[in-house]
Amino acid sequence: MAHIPEVELTARQGAGDDHRLELGAKPALIVVDVTLGFTGSEGVGLEAAITEYPNACGPAAWEAMPAMAALIELFRGKGMPIVYTRADTGGQDYTGRASRRMGRRPGGVPPGFGDFPSAIAPRSGEWVLAKTRASAFFGTPLSVYLTRERVDSIVICGGLTSACVRATAVDACSNGYDTFVVDDACFDRSPFAHGSNLFDLGAKYAEVLSLDELAEKWRPA
Amino acid sequence: MKAWMERIPEHERAGLQAGQLELGRKTALIVVDVTYGFTGSEGLTLEETRQEYSTAVGPAAWDAMPRVARLIRLVRSKGMPIVHTRSSANDQQFVGRATKKLRTGGKLSIDFGEFPEAVAPLEGDWVLEKAKASAFFQTPLSIFLVREQVESVIVCGVSTSGCVRATTVDACSSGFRTFVIDDACFDRSWFAHCNNLFDMNAKYADVLSVDELEEKWNAE
């Protein structure tokens, strides 16, 4: 919240934007694009990470990694559905990429782009959903799964806060789910964009809360 | 009169006149689900092939195969985009099958999603995995067609009454002039094949044979 002007925070309270949502009986977790292509390799600086993977967020991603891992464990412990998304780099040859840098990646997709860091890696029974665009809902069968699983609320973490996390959160809300964005389990290359997008999401589409706050909110089904 | 038209009651045949749609400048071909899971191995009877995969069509598939291959070659020779769909085994674990039936069998050593050689995708063709009947349903297909500035869509493959029909309706609904190639489509049920061609021709698409399409394309 360090980047949000004080006057905006005050105005927001007045507008009722801090309305709290109920975590339903069947929340699903969407882990957005936490692959090496967006994190970079562990332990390297932002510049080195970007050299390896142009979309990498570097240290910001790895700082969020323990919270993401804990959030995933929380869902596993409750037996609630978990969906991992990653870029469908094959499909993107035909549809273009998720952002306005639409063409094929110069030099192709760097090796390991779609690999999951071991701390958050999907397990058997967890869906790895390939997507071509920013939102995990756009041009994918995600909503079919949520309907069939009788999901009533959605928790989102991952990267980037200003891109795929935001787009997914907007569509989750638009599809009728009470939506939660876990701020310390999201990351962005730009700390400013991270903050300003959490501000928007919290004002309009989702309840933005920390991992601890979410764990506290959770009531057993 | 084509064989499938003979299934249509005589007093209903007025709606069968030749199509009026134009292909336009940019046409895409969608080859729907022509994989071993829906064809079965070559040279088996329907009974035999259903031991391999309950979804397999068998003889009708292999009868249509040379025309599917010819259609692909025709579209390729025009330099137009080709999309091959197949069912996504991974996604279907989470979102269910395309139809209400359970799939059984799987005794075939060949993978369900493998393409017969005669119709196999080439470099530059898009192999699009889908979970449900229509190739458009919650897939990024329409993005590709928009970006390629496609005006018309040609549909062939399997089954005429299932994924071909669902894809055709959505192609039409998405705003594309739509063509279904009757002798490059197949279905386990001949009855369903004929009825669905009749419906699609009446409502959503021009139904043409490969020969008719080629003639039309060369004349435009």
Side-chain angles (χ1 to χ4, degrees):
Chain A
M1 290 193 184
H3 292 277
I4 314 299
E6 188 65 37
V7 60
E8 296 283 350
L9 291 172
T10 312
R12 184 167 135 172
Q13 279 163 8
D17 288 347
D18 285 340
H19 174 64
R20 307 272 103 176
L21 299 172
E22 294 289 319
L23 192 63
K26 185 109 187 234
L29 175 63
I30 305 177
V31 183
V32 178
D33 291 6
V34 187
T35 65
L36 290 183
F38 293 103
T39 63
S41 297
E42 187 169 10
V44 303
L46 181 57
E47 269 187 42
I50 289 175
T51 307
E52 196 180 4
Y53 297 106
N55 305 101
C57 296
W62 290 94
E63 275 162 32
M65 200 67 72
M68 291 191 284
L71 180 58
I72 291 165
E73 279 310 314
L74 179 66
F75 270 74
R76 283 181 185 147
K78 304 276 187 190
M80 292 298 161
I82 303 174
V83 180
Y84 290 77
T85 71
R86 68 171 153 197
D88 176 4
T89 50
Q92 286 177 340
D93 285 347
Y94 299 90
T95 64
R97 290 160 58 190
S99 67
R100 67 196 171 84
R101 290 167 293 182
M102 295 286 258
R104 294 183 187 216
R105 286 179 182 80
V109 181
F113 189 97
D115 291 354
F116 294 99
S118 58
I120 58 92
R123 291 195 190 154
S124 167
E126 294 165 357
W127 188 13
V128 176
L129 173 66
K131 67 181 181 62
T132 58
R133 294 289 161 146
S135 166
F137 289 88
F138 191 90
T140 77
L142 175 57
S143 65
V144 182
Y145 178 62
L146 301 175
T147 301
R148 285 164 52 101
E149 290 284 325
R150 309 273 191 276
V151 162
D152 55 14
S153 50
I154 290 177
V155 177
I156 298 171
C157 71
L160 281 56
T161 317
S162 63
C164 298
V165 166
R166 182 183 179 136
T168 301
V170 173
D171 282 357
C173 171
S174 301
N175 276 287
Y177 298 102
D178 283 349
T179 303
F180 300 83
V181 175
V182 181
D183 53 13
D184 52 354
C186 289
F187 57 92
D188 201 296
R189 203 172 305 111
S190 155
F192 173 73
H194 177 72
S196 60
N197 278 278
L198 289 173
F199 176 75
D200 288 348
L201 287 171
K204 297 178 178 71
Y205 306 108
E207 180 174 336
V208 177
L209 73 189
S210 68
L211 172 63
D212 287 344
E213 288 167 336
L214 181 84
E216 209 167 294
K217 185 186 267 285
W218 201 309
R219 282 193 289 267
Chain B
M1 192 185 309
K2 293 174 176 177
W4 69 262
M5 294 178 178
E6 290 167 13
R7 291 289 322 191
I8 310 303
E10 218 169 321
H11 65 277
E12 301 273 355
R13 287 180 193 159
L16 285 175
Q17 69 266 34
Q20 305 298 322
L21 298 177
E22 282 184 14
L23 285 157
R25 281 168 304 170
K26 190 105 186 229
T27 300
L29 173 64
I30 305 176
V31 184
V32 177
D33 291 3
V34 186
T35 67
Y36 276 102
F38 291 104
T39 63
S41 298
E42 190 169 7
L44 302 183
T45 65
L46 180 57
E47 287 280 294
E48 289 165 344
T49 202
R50 293 186 76 170
Q51 298 302 307
E52 296 182 321
Y53 284 112
S54 60
T55 44
V57 171
W62 291 97
D63 178 65
M65 197 68 70
R67 294 183 297 277
V68 177
R70 219 187 103 211
L71 176 59
I72 292 172
R73 282 198 302 276
L74 172 65
V75 175
R76 222 186 274 299
S77 75
K78 302 279 187 188
M80 295 294 163
I82 301 173
V83 180
H84 306 254
T85 71
R86 65 172 158 199
S87 64
S88 170
N90 179 52
D91 289 346
Q92 287 183 342
Q93 290 175 55
F94 297 91
V95 304
R97 300 285 191 205
T99 66
K100 65 197 173 79
K101 277 180 298 192
L102 285 176
R103 219 172 256 177
T104 57
K107 289 175 189 163
L108 186 58
S109 58
I110 301 168
D111 195 69
F112 190 98
E114 195 169 311
F115 296 98
E117 198 185 341
V119 299
L122 296 187
E123 176 80 31
D125 295 356
W126 187 13
V127 176
L128 172 67
E129 299 211 327
K130 66 184 181 63
K132 299 290 171 177
S134 166
F136 288 88
F137 185 81
Q138 300 194 353
T139 77
L141 175 57
S142 63
I143 307 173
F144 177 61
L145 301 176
V146 168
R147 284 166 52 98
E148 290 282 324
Q149 299 186 295
V150 160
E151 295 177 6
S152 55
V153 168
I154 301 169
V155 184
C156 72
V158 56
S159 62
T160 317
S161 62
C163 298
V164 167
R165 183 180 179 142
T167 300
T168 298
V169 174
D170 283 355
C172 173
S173 301
S174 298
F176 301 105
R177 293 195 290 274
T178 305
F179 298 83
V180 176
I181 309 307
D182 51 15
D183 55 355
C185 289
F186 49 95
D187 196 296
R188 211 167 307 112
S189 157
W190 173 248
F191 175 74
H193 176 75
C194 302
N195 297 343
N196 277 278
L197 290 171
F198 175 74
D199 286 347
M200 287 190 280
N201 187 63
K203 298 180 177 73
Y204 308 110
D206 275 1
V207 175
L208 304 173
S209 65
V210 182
D211 281 342
E212 288 167 337
L213 177 78
E214 185 166 23
E215 196 177 316
K216 178 186 186 71
W217 209 335
N218 291 334
E220 263 188 32

